[in-house]
Each structure stands twice: as C-alpha cells, then as structure tokens.
Amino acid sequence: MGAAALVATASLAAAAVTVKVARSVLIPPRKRVESLRILAVTQVAVTVTASADSLLPGRYGIWFDGGKGYARVGAIVGTSPGSVTRELVAVDEGELREGMTARTGAWFYLSPRELGFDWQEVVVDTELGAAPAWLIPAEAPSGAWVINVHGRAVRRQETLRAVPAFRAAGYNSLLISYRNDGDAPDSADMRYSLGDSEWRDVEAAMKYAVDHGATDIVLMGWSMG
C-alpha cells in the first residue's frame, strides 16, 4: 500500500472515530455501562471493584441491575488490591447482591423528600413546552434564588446534594429539567447541543424565578450544565 493510501486510510479511520465520539456526546445514551462488580454486601458495607470513581472520597450513588437498582454509599472503610469497601448508607431501589455489575453516579439523593425540607413540584414554561422542576424554598422569605442545572445524560436529582448549603445561605433552590434530558420536552432532533439551545430553557427558568419574586439569581451548573 502506498503512502497516499495509508494517509487516506488513516484519515478515514480518524473521521470515523470523530463521528462516533460526536454522536456519543450529542445523543442522550439509552443505556449506561456498568463497569463495576459487586464483590460483597453486608447490612452496613458494600465491596466493589476498585476504579478511579469508586475510590473517590465523599457520598455517592451506585446503580445496579441495569439501572433498576440504586444504593447510596458513604465513606471508604477499607481497600485491598483491586477492591474498595464503602459504608452502605441505604438501598433505595432493588436488591443489591454479590456478583452484580454496577456503576457509580454523582447523585446521592433521588428525591427532595429525602432532604427533609418543604418542596414543590413546579412547571417552567419553555419554548418546547412544560418542563418540570423542583422548588425548595429558603427557610425564611428571600429574593435570593439559585437555579441548579444538571449535567449531560443525567437528571435534576444530580443537583439535590447542593440544596442544604444554598438553603442555609438563604437561597430558594430551583432544580430544573431541560430539553432531551428525559423529563423536559424533547427537541425535534432529540440531541444535546452542548448549551447552544439548552440555554433557552435556563433563561425560561430565570423568568420563572423573577415572576415568583427573585431579585438575585445564581446559576449553579454541573458539567455541561
């Protein structure tokens, strides 16, 4: 094969990889990869295979059984070559068993009920239709609002963990959904635009906040949010 053919082949391969990566970024995934394995489960702890994510300090969620099960984990209580044992805070959905595959997530809470604060399910009117949101009022009446914008391929539950800190600081928290996230209406192409169109839904949320008494707005985003 000549040099020109090799260059052409390499260029085609690079283009194919670029298209694949671009599609994975822009098209919301229908299935998430479960790369961890549950090695042991007790009433107070769970042991999983070690990875960069499973070794992170803090409190996180573990999805298992193809995304049908969810457990919350806390502090690391032990490690060994290839595994990590963490405090098992709760199994919220499903039955966590040894041998299952799983994945970690940035979520901790699944519902605002778990925070112990008053909250409301509200609707933000976007150009595509009604987008559901959670409103968690400040402890005392306040014109300060924070609009929480979740990241790519997840939902507003990701932002629940920020609510206690903002509420303690006197903010009303509005946790929004936006186009193509599985809660808000889809766009015609059903693709993320990495903020190029999603900002309109955030702007609609800001209007909602102003219409309901906001005088000071903070935007809080995770990843693509």
Side-chain angles (χ1 to χ4, degrees):
M1 184 180 291
L6 286 173
V7 170
T9 300
S11 297
L12 287 172
V17 171
T18 300
V19 169
K20 183 176 181 179
V21 171
R23 284 178 61 85
S24 69
V25 170
L26 297 178
I27 300 175
R30 298 186 182 276
K31 186 175 181 180
R32 306 295 292 272
V33 176
E34 295 183 344
S35 58
L36 301 179
R37 183 165 294 277
I38 306 298
L39 302 177
V41 182
T42 70
Q43 290 186 336
V44 296
V46 58
T47 301
V48 302
T49 47
S51 71
D53 290 334
S54 66
L55 285 165
L56 285 173
R59 302 192 301 172
Y60 299 94
I62 290 180
W63 295 96
F64 58 93
D65 194 18
K68 292 180 286 188
Y70 183 77
R72 286 179 281 165
V73 299
I76 294 174
V77 296
T79 59
S80 64
S83 72
V84 55
T85 301
R86 307 189 71 121
E87 174 192 9
L88 181 59
V89 177
V91 179
D92 296 283
E93 297 178 1
E95 181 183 354
L96 186 63
R97 300 188 306 274
E98 180 181 335
M100 286 182 158
T101 57
R103 62 179 173 85
T104 58
W107 299 9
F108 187 72
Y109 302 106
L110 289 179
S111 166
R113 296 185 185 87
E114 299 164 21
L115 298 175
F117 307 136
D118 291 335
W119 63 281
Q120 305 171 49
E121 181 88 42
V122 300
V123 170
V124 173
D125 293 323
T126 74
E127 64 183 11
L128 297 178
W134 288 319
L135 174 60
I136 302 174
E139 187 172 357
S142 171
W145 285 57
V146 57
I147 296 174
N148 294 274
V149 187
H150 66 77
R152 172 188 166 275
V154 295
R155 298 184 180 182
R156 54 192 153 139
Q157 285 90 337
E158 179 182 44
T159 67
L160 282 165
R161 63 193 311 153
V163 169
F166 277 105
R167 193 171 187 274
Y171 281 82
N172 302 283
S173 294
L174 185 64
L175 287 58
I176 69 168
S177 57
Y178 56 78
R179 61 193 65 195
N180 305 313
D181 70 358
D183 287 334
D186 291 331
S187 61
D189 61 6
M190 300 180 67
R191 295 190 178 195
Y192 294 125
S193 64
L194 306 183
D196 195 44
S197 62
E198 292 86 354
W199 69 267
R200 297 187 181 95
D201 301 337
V202 178
E203 184 178 62
M206 294 173 67
K207 182 179 185 304
Y208 176 95
V210 171
D211 289 346
H212 289 79
T215 57
D216 178 25
I217 296 176
V218 170
L219 296 179
M220 175 73 176
W222 279 254
S223 189
M224 192 184 89

